[in-house]
Amino acid sequence: MVTYNFSAGPGVLPTPVISQIKADLAQNEFTHLSILEISHRSAQFEKIMASAQQRLRDLMSIPDEYGVVFVQGGGSLQFEMLPLNLATNKQSIAVLDSGNFAAKAAQAAQMLGKEVTIVGSSKSQHYRYLPQLTGDFDANAYDYLHITTNNTIEGTTYHQDMLPQTTGRLTADMSSNILAEPYDITQFDAVFAGAQKNLGPAGVTLAIVKKDWLASQSIEHVGPMMRYQNYLDKDSMYNTPPVFSIYALDLVLSWVQAEGGVDEMTRRNQLKAAKLYDFLDESRLFEAPVKTSDRSLTNIVFTTNDAKRDAQIVAQAKENGLFNLGGHRSVGGFRASLYNAQPMAAVDALIEFLNKVEKG
Ligand SMILES: *Cc1c(COP(=O)(O)O)cnc(C)c1O
C-alpha cells in the first residue's frame, strides 16, 4: 500500500534522505563505524557540523552578525532560553498570542520572572486569525516582541509581508515553517526552530541570534547549558550534541539545496496548499475555518463541524494509507501537514479520498 504521512511533527522526511540514512547506519568501510557510533569529536562529525551550519546560512542568507547554534530540548526549551538570555535589561517582553505555542512561550517567560505583556490575541476566536499590533504598541517598553511565524496547531502564518512592524527587537518561533517559505532574517533579532517539523528528525533545535544583542545582556545567573554564548563559543559542542539528529539535519538541508532552495520549496508548497484549500473551499462537507489571508502553507486545518464524523474519517483515512490526519487534541478535526518533503502525490491522494467520502 502506498502511504503518506501528514503528521505535524515529527514530520515526513525526503525519501532520498531516508535511503542515505539507511546506508550510513551500516558500518562505514573506512571507519568501521555506523553513523550512530561516531564520536562528536571525530573529524567526520566536525565536517557534518560545519556543513549543516553553512548550508543553513546559505539557504537563509544569514549574515555574519548572527550566530547559529544547535541545542537540544526542542522549541519548548527555547521558550525559556530566549527570555533568560535576551530579556535581561528591561526584564519585560511582548507577545503576539497567535496560538497555543505563542501562549506557551509567554507562560514560560512569566514563570522565569519576566514581565509578559500580551499585545494582541485571537484566543477568544479560537486563534482562527492572526492578531496584529495596535497603534499604541510601545517597543521601548520591552526587551523584544515575540511571534510564532507559523501556528502549527491552528494553521495560520505571518508570511513575510505580514510580519509585525516594530522599531524594537523581534524574535520568532519558526519551528513549523522554517525553509518552507521565504523570510528576511535581518528583520529578526533571534529565531529558533525545532528540526522535527520541516528539517529532520527530533532531537535538535536551531537558534539564530544576533551576536551584538546577546553581548549586551547580563546573564551572570544563567547556567552554561542555557547560555547561547556558551554554544557559540564551543561551536554547539560544550557537551555531547545530538550527533545523529545534526547529521540528518545536514542531509535534509543538502536535499533542499539540491532541489532548488527556499524559492523552489515555496513554489511547491504554494501549489500543494492551494490545491487542498481550493478543494476545501468548493466542498460542501469540509470547511477550512481559518481566515483566508492568514492561512498556513504547511499545516492545513479543516473540519466537517461534526467531531464524531471527523474522527471516523480520520480512522478511515488511515486504513487507506493516509496517516496522521487528526487535528491537534486541543482543536480536533483534521490537519494535513504539507512540509517541504511532502510530495504533490500525497495531496492528490488526500483530495481523492476526501472527495470519495463527500460523494459517499
Ligand atoms: C512543535 C512546536 C513547538 C514545540 O516543540 P518541542 O520540540 O516539542 O518543544 C514549538 N513551537 C512550534 C511553532 C511548534 O510547531
Side-chain angles (χ1 to χ4, degrees):
M1 178 167 61
V2 183
T3 60
Y4 294 108
N5 180 12
F6 294 94
S7 171
V12 58
L13 290 170
T15 312
V17 168
I18 300 277
S19 305
Q20 184 65 50
I21 291 172
K22 264 191 202 161
D24 291 340
L25 280 179
Q27 282 193 359
N28 180 291
E29 60 181 307
F30 303 110
T31 62
H32 303 286
L33 296 173
S34 159
I35 189 67
L36 292 173
E37 300 171 315
I38 64 166
S39 164
H40 61 292
R41 304 290 175 198
S42 65
Q44 188 184 357
F45 185 67
E46 271 177 21
K47 249 172 79 180
I48 291 171
M49 180 69 109
S51 163
Q53 287 218 16
Q54 193 56 49
R55 289 186 203 281
L56 193 69
R57 282 191 179 276
D58 293 347
L59 282 163
M60 293 185 75
S61 305
I62 303 172
D64 289 343
E65 303 95 86
Y66 293 78
V68 175
V69 297
F70 299 123
V71 187
Q72 301 193 48
S76 301
L77 190 70
Q78 293 308 301
F79 295 161
E80 303 187 26
M81 280 182 76
L82 227 58
L84 272 177
N85 285 272
L86 299 167
T88 71
N89 293 323
K90 293 169 184 154
Q91 303 281 342
S92 170
I93 69 168
V95 175
L96 275 171
D97 177 27
S98 58
N100 192 55
F101 287 119
K104 278 192 165 161
Q107 191 186 32
Q110 214 152 27
M111 288 174 83
L112 290 166
K114 308 298 176 184
E115 196 181 313
V116 177
T117 307
I118 303 295
V119 290
S121 176
S122 50
K123 186 173 182 190
S124 67
Q125 299 300 312
H126 309 286
Y127 296 121
R128 284 182 184 150
Y129 69 92
L130 292 166
Q132 295 290 350
L133 290 180
T134 54
D136 59 3
F137 174 70
D138 176 15
N140 287 326
Y142 311 103
D143 284 294
Y144 59 85
L145 167 66
H146 181 71
I147 64 163
T148 311
T149 52
N150 185 74
N151 297 282
T152 323
I153 293 171
E154 298 83 3
T156 56
T157 303
Y158 292 100
H159 303 289
Q160 169 68 36
D161 60 356
M162 297 159 65
L163 293 175
Q165 297 302 313
T166 170
T167 53
R169 305 278 184 182
L170 181 64
T171 68
D173 175 357
M174 284 194 188
S175 292
S176 51
N177 77 337
I178 188 166
L179 301 189
E181 59 185 277
Y183 284 103
D184 175 2
I185 193 75
T186 64
Q187 292 202 12
F188 302 90
D189 298 277
V191 162
F192 66 83
Q196 75 271 22
K197 309 290 163 66
N198 204 30
L199 299 182
V204 65
T205 301
L206 53 95
I208 306 164
V209 186
K210 221 173 196 176
K211 287 188 252 180
D212 65 346
W213 187 32
L214 202 53
S216 73
Q217 308 280 334
S218 41
I219 51 163
E220 57 269 29
H221 297 299
V222 178
M225 286 298 289
M226 296 294 278
R227 282 184 193 219
Y228 288 126
Q229 191 61 52
N230 198 31
Y231 287 78
L232 275 176
D233 294 345
K234 305 286 197 252
D235 205 14
S236 302
M237 287 196 269
Y238 170 70
N239 73 330
T240 315
V243 171
F244 175 79
S245 300
I246 294 170
Y247 147 82
L249 167 70
D250 183 49
L251 291 182
V252 172
L253 296 177
S254 163
W255 177 82
V256 173
Q257 286 179 319
E259 294 293 309
V262 176
D263 286 350
E264 176 61 14
M265 294 297 126
T266 306
R267 190 188 70 81
R268 293 181 193 177
N269 292 337
Q270 282 171 342
L271 286 175
K272 288 183 288 182
K275 207 179 216 181
L276 184 51
Y277 282 123
D278 283 350
F279 168 79
L280 296 169
D281 289 342
E282 292 282 308
S283 169
R284 287 160 175 232
L285 178 61
F286 301 101
E287 181 201 2
V290 165
K291 185 181 169 192
T292 311
S293 59
D294 298 354
R295 285 171 167 179
S296 169
L297 297 180
T298 45
N299 305 99
I300 291 162
V301 169
F302 55 101
T303 177
T304 64
N305 292 307
D306 173 347
K308 233 173 110 186
R309 181 110 203 248
D310 287 349
Q312 281 166 353
I313 299 171
V314 167
Q316 201 185 335
K318 190 175 171 193
E319 285 165 22
N320 285 272
L322 307 173
F323 294 155
N324 295 315
L325 275 170
H328 187 265
R329 57 189 184 280
S330 64
V331 294
F334 305 87
R335 173 174 50 175
S337 295
L338 308 181
Y339 295 126
N340 287 347
Q342 193 72 280
M344 183 59 99
V347 178
D348 290 336
L350 175 59
I351 291 174
E352 193 188 321
F353 167 77
L354 296 175
N355 202 28
K356 260 192 208 150
V357 169
E358 180 166 351
K359 300 273 150 63

